[in-house]
Amino acid sequence: MRMLTHLQRPQKERRGTLSTGRAHGGPPPPSARNGAGFGAAPPRDDGAGAGGGRMSTSRSARDAACTADLGAQYVSRSAGSRGSFYEELLSHGILKPLSARIEGLVEKEGSCDYVAPQGISSVVKYFLRQSGADVFYEHHVTHITLRDGKWEVSRKMGSPELFDVVILTIPVPQILQLQGDIVNIINERQKQQLESASYSSRYALGLFYEVGARIDVPWAAKYITDNPCIRFISIDNKKRNIDSPEIGPSVVVHTTVTFGREHLDSDPAEVQQLILSHLDSLVPSLPKAASVKCQKWRYSQVTKAVPNCPGQMILHTQPLLICGGDGFTCSNFDGCIESAMSLAETVRSHL
């Protein structure tokens, strides 16, 4: 059987499953095993170049060893979490306890916070390796159509391909943008449910420095409460506890949701300069960066999940077309795991 999992917003006939989606770090469902995972292509501003969606790690344009997490900053484990996933990641060194000083971090009773020393994308890469799936990036899926009892999946470039099962974990608004038979397969009630999901938007800035650059602040990260533009600043290498004299430091800046919404379609160069000017007023001692990356997260975090569909929604039974992801739970690692487990159980029951 051939399945496609459409990851982050990724044919000649092959048997299997397609899972297409925006991974926030949760394990891929078993449907991705012996199948294909498309690291799908949303608009370039949402980071489709690699797996992980917001759990992706960026590299300096001048030094690939200098990295920064422009999306998810750390992983929080609550008291009711599925502990085995965290223990597995900890045992392999993918996650380590957050030990750096984070000013303004609100500690929740019974929760633990972890960082990914190799970058937050290492969490996603670990689960993709474990899945055994063939993963393809930069595949912009455009149409999903029924063809002889299978799903014909078309993308912007390349020939259509046939799959027995398709799993969508792209942001919910992008599900509704797909063309083909899927438009009529989604019934009116489902459409209303999907349309009710909402996301916040924000910008992130990555500043990459030369080896030897000094950033003299008493914290590894800080939440900002009194600035109209900036909500969070992180000395990323310090937060991940990977300071090295051989690698330059990096700084990550997240804007407020309000700023992100107001400047969602503004010129990126102008947005970058606005953020830099606010950053200079907050941390005037920062040296000049060797390179800067401005990242727009159009679909940053879920503010309202799809109602009455815990973890997933079946759009078509035979052949199976199903959607899931954090848009059906919540935008944290636990939410990703819950959706992945719900997807896995549903797909397994249809095999």
Side-chain angles (χ1 to χ4, degrees), residues 207-219:
L207 292 84
F208 304 93
Y209 295 86
E210 301 282 7
V211 173
R214 292 182 58 82
I215 300 176
D216 295 317
V217 293
W219 36 263

Side-chain angles (χ1 to χ4, degrees), residues 4 11 18 20 141-155 160-166 168 175 177-186 315-316 318-321:
L4 172 66
Q11 275 182 290
L18 170 66
T20 79
V141 172
T142 59
H143 293 68
I144 298 178
T145 301
L146 276 170
R147 186 82 64 198
D148 299 326
K150 299 182 184 296
W151 293 112
E152 182 181 79
V153 177
S154 302
R155 46 198 168 94
E161 298 184 52
L162 292 175
F163 296 90
D164 300 283
V165 177
V166 171
L168 302 169
I175 296 173
Q177 293 169 13
L178 292 169
Q179 299 299 304
D181 290 344
I182 188 173
V183 173
N184 297 318
I185 286 170
I186 298 174
L315 302 179
H316 194 274
Q318 292 292 338
L320 182 62
L321 174 60

Side-chain angles (χ1 to χ4, degrees), residues 100-122:
R101 178 183 173 189
I102 313 292
E103 282 195 7
L105 176 64
V106 178
E107 298 284 357
K108 296 181 180 178
E109 186 176 353
S111 70
C112 300
D113 298 316
Y114 304 101
V115 291
Q118 303 164 65
I120 201 71
S121 66
S122 63

Side-chain angles (χ1 to χ4, degrees), residues 3-7 17-22 26-32 82 165-170 175 309-315 320-329 335-351:
M3 294 188 279
L4 172 66
T5 303
H6 188 28
L7 303 171
T17 298
L18 170 66
S19 175
T20 79
R22 170 183 186 251
S31 54
R82 295 179 184 261
V165 177
V166 171
I167 306 168
L168 302 169
T169 62
I170 55 181
I175 296 173
C309 294
Q312 48 80 19
M313 175 189 285
I314 296 175
L315 302 179
L320 182 62
L321 174 60
I322 187 171
C323 51
D326 62 339
F328 296 81
T329 51
C336 294
I337 292 174
E338 290 307 316
S339 178
M341 296 300 289
S342 180
L343 284 166
E345 288 303 315
T346 303
V347 172
R348 189 178 292 120
S349 68
H350 281 77
L351 297 180

Side-chain angles (χ1 to χ4, degrees), residues 47-321:
R54 283 195 316 111
M55 293 188 77
S56 59
T57 301
S58 296
R59 300 182 183 277
S60 167
R62 298 169 66 98
D63 181 4
C66 183
T67 62
D69 290 330
L70 297 187
Q73 294 296 299
Y74 49 86
V75 173
S76 297
R77 173 181 178 177
S78 63
S81 299
R82 295 179 184 261
S84 61
F85 290 96
Y86 294 88
E87 297 306 324
E88 183 177 350
L89 292 168
L90 287 164
S91 69
H92 286 85
I94 306 297
L95 292 181
K96 289 186 180 297
L98 171 63
S99 58
R101 178 183 173 189
I102 313 292
E103 282 195 7
L105 176 64
V106 178
E107 298 284 357
K108 296 181 180 178
E109 186 176 353
S111 70
C112 300
D113 298 316
Y114 304 101
V115 291
Q118 303 164 65
I120 201 71
S121 66
S122 63
V123 176
V124 181
K125 291 175 181 176
Y126 173 80
F127 285 119
L128 289 176
R129 286 195 302 269
Q130 295 298 307
S131 75
D134 297 321
V135 183
F136 303 91
Y137 299 116
E138 306 279 0
H139 283 50
H140 188 158
V141 172
T142 59
H143 293 68
I144 298 178
T145 301
L146 276 170
R147 186 82 64 198
D148 299 326
K150 299 182 184 296
W151 293 112
E152 182 181 79
V153 177
S154 302
R155 46 198 168 94
K156 265 193 172 180
M157 298 181 67
S159 302
E161 298 184 52
L162 292 175
F163 296 90
D164 300 283
V165 177
V166 171
I167 306 168
L168 302 169
T169 62
I170 55 181
V172 174
Q174 292 185 332
I175 296 173
L176 295 170
Q177 293 169 13
L178 292 169
Q179 299 299 304
D181 290 344
I182 188 173
V183 173
N184 297 318
I185 286 170
I186 298 174
N187 64 45
E188 191 58 35
R189 178 173 175 272
Q190 290 173 325
K191 184 180 179 182
Q192 290 176 0
Q193 288 175 284
L194 295 171
E195 287 177 337
S196 70
S198 60
Y199 293 76
S200 63
S201 301
R202 71 173 77 230
Y203 283 87
L205 213 61
L207 292 84
F208 304 93
Y209 295 86
E210 301 282 7
V211 173
R214 292 182 58 82
I215 300 176
D216 295 317
V217 293
W219 36 263
K222 182 177 182 178
Y223 284 92
I224 310 296
T225 58
D226 55 356
N227 187 277
C229 172
I230 295 176
R231 175 63 176 126
F232 179 81
I233 306 172
S234 169
I235 317 304
D236 203 53
N237 51 298
K238 194 173 179 181
K239 180 203 70 186
R240 290 191 273 147
N241 198 26
I242 56 168
D243 275 328
S244 169
E246 299 176 355
I247 303 173
S250 60
V251 170
V252 171
V253 180
H254 280 187
T255 69
T256 64
V257 170
T258 301
F259 180 92
R261 181 176 63 250
E262 292 176 349
H263 295 84
L264 187 59
D265 296 310
S266 299
D267 178 74
E270 293 179 4
V271 172
Q272 178 173 311
Q273 284 306 121
L274 271 174
I275 300 172
L276 286 172
S277 65
H278 281 274
L279 179 62
D280 184 61
S281 69
L282 291 169
V283 193
S285 62
L286 277 180
K288 182 176 176 59
S291 65
V292 179
K293 178 178 180 180
C294 184
Q295 173 77 58
K296 181 199 296 184
W297 295 116
R298 183 176 293 273
Y299 304 107
S300 178
Q301 291 178 296
V302 176
T303 55
K304 182 183 178 183
V306 176
N308 306 316
C309 294
Q312 48 80 19
M313 175 189 285
I314 296 175
L315 302 179
H316 194 274
T317 305
Q318 292 292 338
L320 182 62
L321 174 60

